[in-house]
Amino acid sequence: MNKEFKVLARPYMVWLSILVFVPILAMILISISNLNSSVSVGDLVISFSHFKLLLESSTLIAFRNSLFFATLTTLFSFVLGYFIAYEIKLSRFKNKFILLTIVILPMWSNLILRTESLANIMSENNILKSILGFNLFGNISGTGAAVLFGLVFTYMPFMILSVYTALEKIDFALEEAALDLGLSPIKKFWKVVFPLSLKGVVTGSIMVFLPTLAGFAIPKILSRGRIVFIGTIIENKFVYTNYNHGALLAVVILFFILGSILLLTKFDKEGETLL
Amino acid sequence: MEKQRATLKDYGYRDFTVMNKIYQILKKFLVVFIIFGLYISIIVIAIQSLNESRIISEFTRLSFKWYGNIFQEEELMQAIKNTFLVSGIATVLATFLGTFFAIGLYALSKKVRVIWMLLNNVPILNADIVTGFSLMLMFRLLMVVFPNIFGLFTLVMAHLFFTIPYVVLSVMPKLKETDPNLMDAALDLGVRPYKALIKVVIPAIKAGIFSGMLLALTMSIDDFVISYFNTGAGFDNLSIWIYAVIGRRNLTPSVYAFSTLLTLFTLLGLLIYSFLQKQKKGRKNEKNNINGRAS
Amino acid sequence: MKKIILMAGLLSLLLVLSACSSKPKLRILNWGEYINDELVENFEKEFGIDVVISVADSNELFYSKIKSKTTAFDLVIPSDYMIEKMVQEDMLLTLDYSKLPNFSSVTYMDGVEQIFTSMTETTFAATGDEVDFKAYAVPYFWGTFGIIYNNRVDGLEEALYTNGWDVYFEADNYFPTARRGMYDVPQFAFAAAMMYMDKNPNDYSLANLDLVRSVLETADFTEWGDDTLKRNVEADNLDMAFTYTGDYLDRLYIQLDEGKTLDEVREEFDLYIPDTTMVFIDAMVIPNTATNLDAAHQFINYLLNPENAALNAEVVGYAVATEEAFDIIMSYLESEDLTKKNWAIANSIYYNMEVERIYYPLTSLNPTDTDAIGTMVQNVITG
């Protein structure tokens, strides 16, 4: 590409540098100081007193819950999402764009509405029961299973898109060659297709893992407020205007995010599958 | 003792027909299950929108009255308008800017590009609540100069922050696929670089721009947390409004009706699009055939 | 391509322009669906003012929205304890009563007066300042808290009326199968537990914090929610929940709209108001960021008019603050219009101020205490 076009990237570089770094630094500053809405910069005091929040049992359990559910959600999304992405890739239906749009279409409806409607049909007496006469989901409202179901099917589209993007780039001739060499279809999949799609799997996993880890709406609604995620606590802190605590926990989450971004670059240098 | 003949198996051939059958059944089951999981909430929303009663735990009678009511719900209509306004402007701008930014980034050396693409990922992966809160802090700094900044402007800016990266990401691979000679050829023909960019490169990466636009719109339309922190002056989009109303009072079922309409229209649009695509291809083939016969 | 870009640019410009208009604006920050749209329209017509309403779902958000100054709101409708906090932090302007002529022709209800007195007392206890909150606030609506219960459960009603708070907090002793829900606002949970222990809900101390913690742990609630609580009791997915009285009335009116009779609804789910309970008041205040002071006063004055207050209550369902407005509602007891009649009956049952009760409005705790309660509740939930 013509080097002349480099200038086109300039404004974006300025924009990204400001909007990525300044806020992160501000968050870190808030988390280690007494800075909040009523303290002006003049009487700023650096203190690490907020850090005792990290040892509170609810904080630790919330982290454990977030990590546990984020991991499980990623695993389920991976198994189911990979399968669908692979089927879309194999499908004889020409217009793959339509299939992919069908997968992301539910995301156009408001997340809270979708989650509330899930919570509705997961409780003992609900609208589906009044039509069908029986309970489709049993009575799983308020349990971990309900939360898991909601998380998996909310974030799976990210996994499907990423894996599909990676699969699409695989040359079909490679697969044929593998079959010609006598590999069984299963072996062919594990030795040829899967390694080549790993990039997409890693990206997809991160795209599922991170929002689950930091989210709060879905677990709050589907667990009927009984399973606390770290996002729930962060939200509470911001709502009750304790910005210092909120920022501190957000910075911890930020470390997970930066870690993920570094991991991502190992597998996918330019985030090609990050879609 | 009878001598045993070598079977096909011994030659390394294995019969996969049984396994294949099991896989086929499993496959169908899984596909149905996943579609069910993805769409069950949408279906329930649709059922709630068709329920005559406002009580969402029981279906009383089929009714379309909530669909007619959408236009009478002033607050809802305002929120819908605001949503389209913000997401519309943000998507158009993000698509436009993102495309040119991607081209600019692509012109960089690979080493530098990798670093910037890394930063490009930050807004996508960062937790919404962190992005939302920190952007608000930024905009508050600007308030010293522009006191009435919060509202449409900040909302669009915040949406641009997390939508542009999606456009950049989907345009970039398409740029890599374009033939570098294409541009050179155009330049050799004496076309000015920027004209060549618009006439040659943009058409070649059209698909990437389009999918980037779609993603930007998807992310923008459903965003709540970031919008929540960055709105002002009574400029509430649909998700802010829903969240505020659902927290304390009763949501009008017209919201479900609107949501269902949005899904249906998108599906319909898709079908028409795919139909037109087929027609176009059909016509092309026909033309080719005629040409073929003529020659 | 160029044309498309040009078109898109023009389109967005047009959209931006169309979003502006020239009439004077009154920016109100309110709770979601907490106003009668008809009232707003009438006001807009009468005074030629454009009313822009933003919504938020918690007092804390009201606070942070005003504090962050992202919008210059002219009128905000926070609750009692938040008004105390805002006054303490100098965020509110005093009202100009010369611009509120309707004030002289109304009388606040006893409960409202009690709340104002109590707010002054708690602020005095906390800061030593004697504040007359009427100088800052005009009541919008007020209401009590109560326990919504599932009347399809045999004996629950009787148990509640004989043993009160105990049934809700000691389910094991009274109703082991009862599914119970608590409001997920930490201070509400704290206050409820304190009232169960016959203590003043505003009496925060570390010792009380420990007591409340063990009470909440024993209670082991099925759900920590917000508006989901009332809907779950209504749908027979929950048996008891501590919520606003208005939450119950909301669902009641909806059920009446569906064609059920008052008695039918009360047989399915009803509300018990304990002898000692919390009250709240939402009042109109003018933040110091306000730009259109005249319009804000005009609006407050407009709502002081009993007719308008009653009209607003018709849709919102909380208790009106003035005796004159309450009388208007009571006049509907003999009304031909069934909706109005039911509304009046409900008001006479659930907002009957003749029953002797101890009312506690919540006070504004300092940030450290609020945080300690929040953390305690999170620790209880996570177990």
Side-chain angles (χ1 to χ4, degrees), chain A residues 37-38 53 56-59 61-62 64-65 116 119-120 123-126 139 141-142 220-221 223-228 232-233 235-243 245, chain C residues 58 60-61 63-64 67-68 81 85 89 179 184-187 213 220-228 231-232 235-238 367 370-371 374-375 378-379 381-383:
Chain A
S37 51
S38 54
L53 171 74
E56 205 64 58
S57 80
S58 52
T59 313
I61 292 174
R64 196 195 65 196
N65 285 343
E116 287 265 344
N120 178 0
S123 35
E124 212 173 314
N125 296 298
N126 63 62
N139 181 16
S141 158
K220 187 176 158 186
I221 296 171
S223 77
R224 300 176 85 175
R226 285 170 58 99
I227 299 177
V228 177
T232 325
I233 296 190
E235 193 233 358
N236 265 326
K237 296 290 181 188
F238 280 122
V239 165
Y240 293 101
T241 59
N242 188 337
Y243 296 138
H245 280 175
Chain C
S58 79
E60 285 66 24
L61 276 166
Y63 174 84
S64 67
K67 202 84 192 186
S68 72
Y81 72 99
K85 182 171 172 168
E89 297 188 16
R179 302 158 293 180
D184 68 355
V185 174
Q187 207 184 345
R213 185 186 167 135
D220 189 23
F221 293 107
T222 325
E223 174 167 0
W224 290 79
D226 34 53
D227 76 316
T228 51
R231 279 191 275 123
N232 276 331
D236 193 12
N237 288 323
L238 207 57
T370 310
D371 215 58
T375 307
Q378 293 293 359
N379 283 340
I381 298 176
T382 52

Side-chain angles (χ1 to χ4, degrees), chain C residues 90-154:
Chain C
D90 260 340
M91 293 161 71
L92 304 181
L93 298 176
T94 47
L95 299 173
D96 181 354
Y97 272 89
S98 67
K99 289 181 184 163
L100 304 174
N102 285 345
F103 178 73
S104 56
S105 51
V106 295
T107 325
Y108 288 156
M109 289 176 83
D110 266 352
V112 173
E113 291 288 353
Q114 265 188 51
I115 297 174
F116 272 123
T117 317
S118 163
M119 282 164 72
T120 305
E121 279 167 10
T122 48
T123 295
F124 184 75
T127 64
D129 297 332
E130 190 125 6
V131 184
D132 177 14
F133 284 95
K134 282 186 197 160
Y136 297 93
V138 166
Y140 186 74
F141 283 116
W142 72 297
T144 48
F145 281 68
I147 296 172
I148 298 187
Y149 60 92
N150 187 355
N151 220 356
R152 286 160 286 217
V153 178
D154 285 334

Side-chain angles (χ1 to χ4, degrees), chain B residues 127-279:
Chain B
D128 282 357
I129 201 158
V130 178
T131 309
F133 185 68
S134 50
L135 281 177
M136 185 190 86
L137 289 178
M138 291 280 306
F139 293 137
R140 272 189 64 187
L141 293 178
L142 289 178
M143 266 179 80
V144 183
V145 196
F146 312 100
N148 291 323
I149 189 174
F150 274 88
L152 181 63
F153 177 75
T154 46
L155 213 51
V156 168
M157 290 297 272
H159 279 231
L160 280 180
F161 179 64
F162 67 86
T163 49
I164 290 179
Y166 282 100
V167 179
V168 171
L169 271 181
S170 51
V171 168
M172 194 58 85
K174 293 286 168 215
L175 277 172
K176 285 184 192 156
E177 281 168 20
T178 53
D179 188 343
N181 296 325
L182 205 65
M183 189 71 191
D184 293 339
L187 293 177
D188 285 347
L189 287 171
V191 181
R192 272 173 298 123
Y194 281 95
K195 190 147 195 204
L197 190 67
I198 287 165
K199 295 268 170 199
V200 180
V201 179
I202 301 274
I205 55 173
K206 220 167 49 188
I209 298 177
F210 190 67
S211 67
M213 189 177 84
L214 199 70
L215 273 167
L217 185 63
T218 309
M219 296 302 149
S220 170
I221 228 166
D222 193 29
D223 174 69
F224 162 64
V225 181
I226 298 173
S227 308
Y228 196 65
F229 280 103
N230 290 289
T231 187
F235 201 90
D236 295 340
N237 68 10
L238 192 60
S239 45
I240 298 175
W241 185 79
I242 288 177
Y243 197 78
V245 172
I246 224 168
R248 173 126 158 176
R249 311 274 310 167
N250 305 298
L251 208 54
T252 155
S254 290
V255 179
Y256 307 128
F258 169 72
S259 182
T260 309
L261 283 181
L262 187 69
T263 310
L264 284 180
F265 273 113
T266 319
L267 267 179
L268 198 72
L270 269 181
L271 285 178
I272 293 172
Y273 170 80
S274 108
F275 180 73
L276 288 180
Q277 284 282 5
K278 249 188 201 155
Q279 289 256 310

Side-chain angles (χ1 to χ4, degrees), chain C residues 34-256:
Chain C
Y34 198 44
I35 198 162
N36 188 343
D37 292 333
E38 199 185 323
L39 188 84
V40 177
E41 267 167 43
N42 294 346
F43 177 79
E44 282 179 326
K45 264 187 222 143
E46 201 173 324
F47 294 90
I49 292 169
D50 219 1
V51 177
V52 185
I53 298 179
S54 296
V55 289
D57 72 333
S58 79
N59 275 301
E60 285 66 24
L61 276 166
F62 283 175
Y63 174 84
S64 67
K65 287 217 168 196
I66 295 171
K67 202 84 192 186
S68 72
K69 302 199 167 90
T70 52
T71 309
F73 289 109
D74 301 309
L75 193 73
V76 190
I77 310 180
S79 311
D80 36 64
Y81 72 99
M82 192 45 73
I83 294 173
E84 283 185 57
K85 182 171 172 168
M86 287 172 171
V87 169
Q88 276 169 34
E89 297 188 16
D90 260 340
M91 293 161 71
L92 304 181
L93 298 176
T94 47
L95 299 173
D96 181 354
Y97 272 89
S98 67
K99 289 181 184 163
L100 304 174
N102 285 345
F103 178 73
S104 56
S105 51
V106 295
T107 325
Y108 288 156
M109 289 176 83
D110 266 352
V112 173
E113 291 288 353
Q114 265 188 51
I115 297 174
F116 272 123
T117 317
S118 163
M119 282 164 72
T120 305
E121 279 167 10
T122 48
T123 295
F124 184 75
T127 64
D129 297 332
E130 190 125 6
V131 184
D132 177 14
F133 284 95
K134 282 186 197 160
Y136 297 93
V138 166
Y140 186 74
F141 283 116
W142 72 297
T144 48
F145 281 68
I147 296 172
I148 298 187
Y149 60 92
N150 187 355
N151 220 356
R152 286 160 286 217
V153 178
D154 285 334
L156 185 57
E157 183 170 56
E158 205 193 325
L160 272 170
Y161 275 91
T162 37
N163 298 302
W165 281 111
D166 297 3
V167 184
Y168 178 68
F169 276 102
E170 300 168 41
D172 281 349
N173 298 338
Y174 294 91
F175 251 96
T177 53
R179 302 158 293 180
R180 287 144 307 122
M182 174 55 97
Y183 230 88
D184 68 355
V185 174
Q187 207 184 345
F188 289 1
F190 179 83
M194 289 290 279
M195 288 184 293
Y196 153 71
M197 293 185 289
D198 286 326
K199 289 172 187 281
N200 183 332
N202 292 321
D203 193 4
Y204 174 82
S205 70
L206 282 179
N208 282 337
L209 192 69
D210 271 345
L211 287 175
V212 167
R213 185 186 167 135
S214 66
V215 167
L216 293 178
E217 270 169 357
T218 324
D220 189 23
F221 293 107
T222 325
E223 174 167 0
W224 290 79
D226 34 53
D227 76 316
T228 51
L229 297 172
K230 58 181 176 187
R231 279 191 275 123
N232 276 331
V233 177
E234 179 189 25
D236 193 12
N237 288 323
L238 207 57
D239 298 325
M240 278 182 273
F242 177 59
T243 58
Y244 292 95
T245 300
D247 271 344
Y248 170 72
L249 292 180
D250 253 0
R251 301 315 298 177
L252 173 71
Y253 295 142
I254 286 176
Q255 293 269 7
L256 293 178

Side-chain angles (χ1 to χ4, degrees), chain A residues 165 169 199 268-275, chain B residues 169 173 176:
Chain A
T165 317
K169 294 201 171 89
K199 206 153 91 159
D268 185 355
K269 282 218 159 39
E270 295 184 38
E272 283 176 350
T273 49
L274 198 65
L275 285 179
Chain B
L169 271 181
K176 285 184 192 156

